[in-house]
Amino acid sequence: MTHLAYVVAAYAISALAIGGLAVWILLDQRAQKQALKELEERGVRRRSARTEAAR
Amino acid sequence: MSETANLTARLTALANPTRFLALAGNLVPWIGGASALVLAVGLGMAFAAPEDYQQGITVRIMYIHVPFAWLAMFCYAVMAASALGTLVWRHPLADVSLKAAAPIGAVFTALALVTGSIWGKPMWGTWWVWDARLTSVLVLFLMYLGVIALTRALDDQSRAARAAAILTLVGFINIPIIKFSVDWWNTLHQPASVFRLDGPTIHPSFLWPLLISAAGFTLLFLTLHLMAMRAEIWRRRVSAMRRMSARAAEGKLAEGQAS
């Protein structure tokens, strides 16, 4: 009797879970970068960014 | 400058989130690429390795199950070190590191449990037993969920950071329990066969693919952790900027009402 199906299931579930985690982190990065860009376009500056600019 | 002072200066420089963002941004493609390469070699070797005389093909599950279980504990150790960074040194990136690592650790712990269960059905004849090793890893998974919930439950970031750091350190007691559970109790789970005082008891044809896969998954964890830390730093900047702009708008409104 072959147990190939168990091996395939273990690898497939792992690939899906890790792939999903990576996509979730990438989408989160993109959302935060987009929000930062929008705030900067509205003229909002971070305190440290303002002091850097004043130097 | 002495070497210690040099090291302290370098760690302090890294405390600056802007500098960390740039450094991590440069590192991620390299560590990610190395991870893909090492994983391809390790898993390629795993499938070229002979089948086990008792376990047959199901021994292939070991090459992912064991690295996931190691990473479940490694990630918790990284979080405990970060918790010390928050409580003792108040390092600004320590809480970012803890919060970013928790979901990654939870995924690896869940995968260690699931892949172990899938191996257990054909080999033990059961998906699950309440032995000390399996139960202590399930407790680790629940700890991860607790830390994830706590880091996202409080609006006050510094209070959330302290609470999560304390919970993480209290939960660290579980790590030696997981490691030695197979020695302290009579478990269905096999005892350690790689990290033992008298050397590995596993044949080199299985050991090398396992160690290389574990190195590849560790690099993958570091890549994902750095990526998640960058996202978290940006999230904190966004919320700080939103607060500032709301305060400025309130100030203008108050001025308008006064005049």
Side-chain angles (χ1 to χ4, degrees):
Chain A
M1 187 184 140
T2 175
H3 290 129
L4 183 68
Y6 290 96
V7 178
V8 172
Y11 276 81
I13 290 171
S14 303
L16 271 177
I18 294 173
L21 179 68
V23 168
W24 175 62
I25 294 173
L26 281 172
L27 288 179
D28 188 23
Q29 280 195 341
R30 212 208 284 180
Q32 302 312 325
K33 269 199 273 192
Q34 184 63 33
L36 267 180
K37 213 175 105 190
E38 278 169 20
L39 281 162
E40 272 163 15
E41 274 168 8
R42 273 172 41 201
V44 185
R45 289 272 176 282
R46 285 182 304 121
R47 220 169 297 148
S48 54
R50 278 183 300 188
T51 43
E52 274 161 25
R55 261 180 220 159
Chain B
M1 205 190 284
S2 78
E3 245 174 60
T4 332
N6 208 347
L7 183 72
T8 316
R10 249 187 276 165
L11 277 177
T12 315
L14 204 62
N16 178 335
T18 305
R19 227 167 273 166
F20 175 84
L21 278 176
L23 182 71
N26 289 334
L27 275 176
V28 161
W30 291 101
I31 312 182
S35 145
L37 204 71
V38 176
L39 271 179
V41 172
L43 293 178
M45 280 170 74
F47 275 84
E51 290 184 7
D52 185 74
Y53 81 106
Q54 276 183 323
Q55 299 178 40
I57 196 175
T58 61
V59 73
R60 309 258 191 257
I61 297 175
M62 174 192 72
Y63 301 109
I64 52 173
H65 169 72
V66 173
F68 292 159
W70 282 343
L71 277 175
M73 293 195 282
F74 176 72
C75 179
Y76 204 89
V78 167
M79 284 166 57
S82 305
L84 283 180
T86 299
L87 294 176
V88 181
W89 296 287
R90 293 169 195 271
H91 195 290
L93 291 174
D95 179 53
V96 171
S97 159
L98 190 151
K99 191 179 172 190
I104 306 173
V107 168
F108 280 119
T109 312
L111 283 177
L113 289 167
V114 168
T115 53
S117 185
I118 292 175
W119 179 88
K121 182 62 185 165
M123 291 299 109
W124 288 347
T126 178
W127 298 105
W128 183 263
V129 283
W130 292 100
D131 86 350
R133 171 58 69 83
L134 277 67
T135 308
S136 55
V137 175
L138 181 66
V139 169
L140 178 68
F141 178 64
L142 297 176
M143 290 295 309
Y144 273 119
L145 296 188
V147 172
I148 291 172
L150 194 55
T151 50
R152 285 151 176 82
L154 302 176
D155 283 333
D156 183 342
Q157 219 170 69
S158 61
R159 283 182 66 196
R162 281 182 64 84
I166 292 168
L167 178 66
T168 304
L169 285 178
V170 171
F172 192 72
I173 185 71
N174 194 24
I175 296 298
I177 295 179
I178 292 175
K179 166 74 185 149
F180 297 111
S181 57
V182 285
D183 304 322
W184 292 342
W185 292 284
N186 186 7
T187 55
L188 186 55
H189 193 286
Q190 61 168 330
S193 44
V194 179
F195 293 120
R196 304 165 51 102
L197 288 177
D198 53 355
T201 53
I202 166 174
H203 192 269
S205 58
F206 298 116
L207 182 63
W208 280 110
L210 174 60
L211 291 178
I212 295 171
S213 301
F217 280 115
T218 307
L219 287 169
L220 177 66
F221 163 74
L222 294 175
T223 311
L224 293 172
H225 188 212
L226 284 178
M227 284 166 59
M229 279 181 76
R230 273 160 62 86
E232 182 59 28
I233 292 171
W234 285 325
R235 182 179 359 268
R236 289 177 184 203
R237 284 193 174 170
V238 167
S239 67
M241 283 163 77
R242 283 200 178 128
R243 265 200 308 276
M244 273 172 48
S245 95
R247 223 172 286 150
E250 261 176 30
K252 269 188 206 149
L253 201 67
E255 266 172 38
Q257 280 170 345
S259 59

